[in-house]
Amino acid sequence: MSPEVAPLSADALLGALDDLRDLLIDMVAGGASIGFLGPLDPAAATAWWRAQIPAVRAGRLSVQVSRDGGRITGTVGVVFADKPNARHRAEIVKLMVHRDARGKGLGRTLLGAGERAAAERGVTLLLLDTETGSPADTLYRSAGWTEIGVVPGHAADPAGTLRPTTFFYKRLTD
């Protein structure tokens, strides 16, 4: 049985800051290249999530979460374009699965939830990027995403080492 994934409202995100903070810290501690250097300070992790609330409230960001026993075990974000010529596309961001919840298909479930949230808003083209050769890279390829290309030294991993980034797209309609 797949875990339930549900969107967070801005108010629900505010109420889930502790779980979201812990998930973000776990990801960085585990070496995930998701935009932060380690070790990630809890106050900085909380502040980052708190800063997402206005975008959720405005409908520019959808945050989907999975729970196990009430605790958030994973999340995926969808950032919707705000330019008139780009409303057909969105970006998948911050797909995170807590290290103790991995190996059960949760990443694929969250990715599918993000894709559905985008499609429900009329999005027909999704974009994302990830560290080349990472487990996420493998997930996206197996989920039907198409590689656009690789940029060497694009982003630093949590240890500060520059790593290549692979960019992907996926069409949601034919």
Side-chain angles (χ1 to χ4, degrees), residues 75-113:
T75 186
V76 64
V78 182
V79 176
F80 297 97
D82 60 354
K83 294 178 182 71
N85 73 337
R87 300 237 166 94
H88 67 288
R89 68 179 189 244
E91 184 178 0
I92 296 288
V93 296
K94 302 293 186 273
L95 175 60
M96 298 185 269
V97 175
H98 197 283
R99 286 181 287 174
D100 65 12
R102 293 186 184 158
K104 303 170 189 164
L106 183 53
R108 185 172 300 276
T109 299
L110 286 161
L111 181 59

Side-chain angles (χ1 to χ4, degrees), residues 3-166:
E4 182 179 331
V5 176
L8 288 181
S9 67
D11 291 339
L13 194 155
L14 180 62
L17 284 176
D18 289 348
D19 274 358
L20 292 167
R21 172 202 64 216
D22 293 348
L23 176 61
L24 183 55
I25 290 170
D26 178 73
M27 294 295 296
V28 174
S33 182
I34 54 172
F36 299 90
L37 298 175
L40 182 56
D41 177 67
T46 300
W48 185 84
W49 277 110
R50 188 179 299 279
Q52 306 316 301
I53 293 171
V56 171
R57 186 166 282 120
R60 293 187 314 270
L61 172 64
S62 171
V63 177
Q64 309 279 322
V65 298
S66 61
R67 295 180 188 271
D68 183 4
R71 181 183 75 122
I72 292 175
T73 56
T75 186
V76 64
V78 182
V79 176
F80 297 97
D82 60 354
K83 294 178 182 71
N85 73 337
R87 300 237 166 94
H88 67 288
R89 68 179 189 244
E91 184 178 0
I92 296 288
V93 296
K94 302 293 186 273
L95 175 60
M96 298 185 269
V97 175
H98 197 283
R99 286 181 287 174
D100 65 12
R102 293 186 184 158
K104 303 170 189 164
L106 183 53
R108 185 172 300 276
T109 299
L110 286 161
L111 181 59
E115 291 173 3
R116 283 188 299 282
E120 288 168 4
R121 288 270 302 265
V123 169
T124 59
L125 178 67
L126 282 172
L127 304 165
L128 63 77
D129 66 83
T130 193
E131 182 180 331
T132 304
S134 68
D137 185 330
T138 302
L139 169 64
Y140 301 137
R141 291 174 193 282
S142 71
W145 287 72
T146 302
E147 179 182 325
I148 299 168
V150 175
V151 178
H154 181 264
D157 66 14
T161 304
L162 292 178
R163 302 281 185 197
T165 298
T166 303

